[in-house]
Amino acid sequence: MLLGLLPDIEVVGAAADGEEAVRLVGEHRPEVVLMDLRMPRCDGVEATRRIRSRYPGTQVVVLTTFADDGSLFPALRAGARGYLTKDAGGEEIARAIAEVTAGRAGLSPAVQGRMLDALTGAGPERRPEGRGSGPGGAGEPGQGAAGRGELPDGLTAREAEVLALVAEGLSNAEIVARLHVSMATVKTHINNLFAKTGARDRAQAVGYAYRHGIT
């Protein structure tokens, strides 16, 4: 009912379980499937794996009650490109659908936070005060690899700074305000750092940033 009220979205089918979901995707070849996880006969993770294997043109957005690691990461490994919890409103669902159809990740802020927690353990390590050589206080961009001149994959200092802000969860508009540059400049930096790091979307860029200490 909710999806039917959203503009530019046509619902072509509804499935009672994972087996039926896979069958309906084969019949209708939809652009996106909203997938529950806990279902009889075939759960959402297995259904996602089958859909992405057999029908790679169909993207999967998980919409579930569960945001724990035991649900999140198996779904993403199975091929889901989006993950929302069931408290998501219509606007958030529509945004996730638009993101995955455009080839990007459609993850809720809470899910992005869980991914960062998993990548960093208890959180990003902080260097002792007074040890940083970059500008700003502890925890600001420039305190990790970016501040030590150890930039991987040919990243420039500015690109690393933008990447650190992406990892912090800032939008393009917020990065513009933080760095006092134009939107075009921010987009250019993001396009360049995506190309150099091999990241396809912001979620992958965040993972790259934390793996290389660019925080």
Side-chain angles (χ1 to χ4, degrees), residues 113-125:
R114 291 297 307 128
M115 292 180 66
L116 292 180
D117 288 344
L119 286 168
T120 61
E125 293 184 4

Side-chain angles (χ1 to χ4, degrees), residues 92-149:
E92 189 173 357
I93 294 172
R95 182 167 58 248
I97 291 173
E99 290 289 335
V100 300
T101 55
R104 299 184 291 269
L107 305 174
S108 71
V111 168
Q112 292 185 43
R114 291 297 307 128
M115 292 180 66
L116 292 180
D117 288 344
L119 286 168
T120 61
E125 293 184 4
R126 295 187 180 274
R127 302 178 70 200
E129 284 190 26
R131 297 283 302 278
S133 60
E140 292 184 359
Q143 294 301 302
R148 299 192 298 271

Side-chain angles (χ1 to χ4, degrees), residues 12-205:
V12 297
D17 56 48
E19 293 278 3
E20 187 178 9
V22 176
R23 179 178 61 80
L24 288 177
V25 169
E27 292 178 7
H28 298 287
R29 303 297 176 93
E31 291 179 277
V32 181
V33 171
L34 284 184
M35 181 69 73
D36 201 355
L37 289 182
R38 309 292 169 85
M39 296 183 294
R41 294 205 297 166
C42 174
D43 66 23
V45 171
E46 179 59 27
T48 296
R49 185 177 294 109
R50 294 182 191 178
I51 288 170
R52 294 294 297 141
S53 174
R54 300 176 190 177
Y55 313 108
T58 296
Q59 302 296 333
V60 176
V61 174
V62 171
L63 183 62
T64 180
T65 305
F66 309 98
D68 57 284
D69 291 357
S71 301
L72 170 61
F73 292 105
L76 295 179
R77 283 194 292 268
R81 295 291 294 162
Y83 198 108
L84 305 172
T85 53
K86 287 185 176 177
D87 57 357
E91 181 178 342
E92 189 173 357
I93 294 172
R95 182 167 58 248
I97 291 173
E99 290 289 335
V100 300
T101 55
R104 299 184 291 269
L107 305 174
S108 71
V111 168
Q112 292 185 43
R114 291 297 307 128
M115 292 180 66
L116 292 180
D117 288 344
L119 286 168
T120 61
E125 293 184 4
R126 295 187 180 274
R127 302 178 70 200
E129 284 190 26
R131 297 283 302 278
S133 60
E140 292 184 359
Q143 294 301 302
R148 299 192 298 271
E150 302 169 2
L151 297 176
D153 297 316
L155 289 173
T156 67
R158 194 58 151 177
E159 288 163 357
E161 187 175 16
V162 171
L163 177 58
L165 295 176
V166 170
E168 192 178 324
L170 272 65
S171 66
N172 286 3
E174 290 168 329
I175 295 173
V176 166
R178 178 76 67 90
L179 299 182
H180 305 290
V181 296
S182 70
M183 179 63 76
T185 297
V186 168
K187 288 182 177 179
T188 297
H189 287 317
I190 289 177
N191 288 337
N192 288 342
L193 69 89
F194 274 24
K196 291 178 180 180
T197 64
R200 293 192 301 271
D201 51 50
R202 294 176 92 90
Q204 290 190 350

